[in-house]
Amino acid sequence: MKKNWRLTSSLLVTAALWLALIVAPPVFADNAVKLKVLVISTGDETQDLGFSYIKPVLDEIGVPYDVLNATTQDLTADMLASLNGVACSSLDAGCIGSYNGIILTLSDLTPNFTPAEWDILHNYEKDFKVREAVLSGWPATYFDPNAPFGIYLDYGLVFSSSGASYNTQWSVPATYQKEVLESVNLANPLPITDFAFAANPRNDAVGPRDGTVPSVTPLLKTTNGEALVSIVQYKLPNQTTPLREVMISTITHASFLIHSKVLAYEFINWATQGVFVGARRVHMAAHLDDLFIA
């Protein structure tokens, strides 16, 4: 009888453990995201210069992406993260973010991207630790005149000049040299040969209505020290870890411009934190009549 009782007890314990595993709740997503990029544009390829610039690069590398045309579509929270068709957050068990990188073709997406949509986008980026890359545009700061009021878009920059040609100098700090522009020869300047806005970092205590303050680190400057490409970290006061990170370029881009070719991969690499599906290939070919040129 003792042997039978021990055997029965053992079987009951095994069954209990098995049932516990079956009914145990799934683990938290822990900021898990799909390897796909969301491109937010202001039109199709014939209407949006930034989209016509970045789309062939994404296609060539093979990065999966979706496009939200802000002119004709509204951004909703469930597009960014949903569970059984309902919007969810990273704290919800089983919730997975739809995108691991955000690319904006234009900095302010005006006039069709509303303050509420900006809040949805920024909340997703903070919740799932997703970066954003801005290809071009005005270094905007915009205030919402309606409830809940306050600044809803702020890149921490103040416009200083504009022009169709800039001589530049790189200013990548050591903390970022293993993270951005690794494939760029930073010893040489990058001439900007199309229209651009130049700006100066504010680095003050003013920031968006979520309580964060933008801290700007220029990566590419004019010879006057104005920023053309920058990293913006959004931090809560007295905290060192950013809640959100953005790379913003205020330079016009097109596929035929040299500065655009140099920076195209960098926008994707930054937004995805270097983790994406696809591969970058760089080819060089020489014409036969150039083989013996010194």
Side-chain angles (χ1 to χ4, degrees):
M1 288 294 294
K2 285 186 177 180
K3 288 184 179 180
N4 290 338
W5 172 249
R6 287 173 183 171
L7 179 60
T8 303
S9 299
S10 177
L11 289 173
L12 287 172
V13 170
T14 303
L17 290 172
W18 181 77
L19 285 171
L21 291 173
I22 290 288
V23 301
V27 295
F28 288 116
D30 193 23
N31 309 122
V33 290
K34 297 177 182 178
L35 294 183
K36 181 184 281 190
V37 168
L38 176 64
V39 179
I40 304 180
S41 73
T42 58
D44 60 27
E45 289 180 86
T46 64
Q47 300 165 323
D48 187 330
L49 185 63
F51 183 46
S52 66
Y53 157 60
I54 203 65
K55 182 181 185 299
V57 183
L58 291 164
D59 291 338
E60 181 180 318
I61 295 176
V63 179
Y65 65 93
D66 288 333
V67 181
L68 178 86
N69 184 340
T71 304
T72 59
Q73 298 171 274
D74 294 329
L75 179 68
T76 58
D78 61 295
M79 291 180 180
L80 301 175
S82 66
L83 188 61
N84 299 321
V86 179
C88 59
S89 77
S90 64
L91 295 179
D92 297 326
C95 183
I96 296 177
S98 299
Y99 305 101
N100 75 321
I102 309 293
I103 295 178
L104 308 185
T105 62
L106 194 64
S107 59
D108 54 11
L109 296 173
T110 55
N112 298 293
F113 208 69
T114 66
E117 289 176 287
W118 281 110
D119 288 345
I120 290 171
L121 179 65
H122 294 163
N123 287 337
Y124 173 74
E125 292 172 356
K126 289 182 291 186
D127 189 15
F128 286 88
K129 311 304 179 189
V130 171
R131 285 178 176 173
E132 175 187 308
V134 179
L135 302 184
S136 187
W138 176 261
T141 299
Y142 288 131
F143 184 91
D144 187 0
N146 302 308
F149 307 104
I151 295 170
Y152 64 89
L153 181 63
D154 185 359
Y155 292 106
L157 293 163
V158 177
F159 167 76
S160 56
S161 70
S162 62
S165 177
Y166 281 102
N167 293 318
T168 68
Q169 54 194 10
W170 296 104
S171 58
V172 182
T175 52
Y176 282 115
Q177 286 182 357
K178 296 295 184 182
E179 195 169 357
V180 298
L181 303 165
E182 291 180 277
S183 61
V184 177
N185 186 351
L186 301 181
N188 292 335
L190 180 67
I192 305 302
T193 57
D194 209 316
F195 185 82
F197 296 112
N200 288 314
R202 282 200 331 263
N203 287 337
D204 55 18
V206 178
R209 59 191 177 191
D210 65 358
T212 60
V213 177
S215 174
V216 180
T217 301
L219 302 179
L220 182 67
K221 296 180 179 180
T222 70
T223 51
N224 292 328
E226 304 159 295
L228 293 169
V229 179
S230 303
I231 288 175
V232 187
Q233 291 189 326
Y234 294 84
K235 305 174 184 178
L236 290 172
N238 303 318
Q239 292 193 5
T240 57
T241 302
L243 295 185
R244 197 164 66 86
E245 293 184 293
V246 173
M247 177 186 284
I248 178 171
S249 157
T250 51
I251 307 165
T252 299
H253 291 288
S255 58
F256 55 84
L257 297 171
I258 296 298
H259 66 255
S260 300
K261 290 185 178 294
V262 170
L263 293 172
Y265 171 76
E266 302 304 326
F267 295 125
I268 298 169
N269 189 56
W270 166 264
T272 62
Q273 301 182 55
V275 181
F276 55 83
V277 175
R280 184 193 187 201
R281 298 177 177 85
V282 180
H283 302 276
M284 183 178 71
H287 292 176
L288 291 176
D289 56 349
D290 293 335
L291 287 176
F292 297 103
I293 292 178

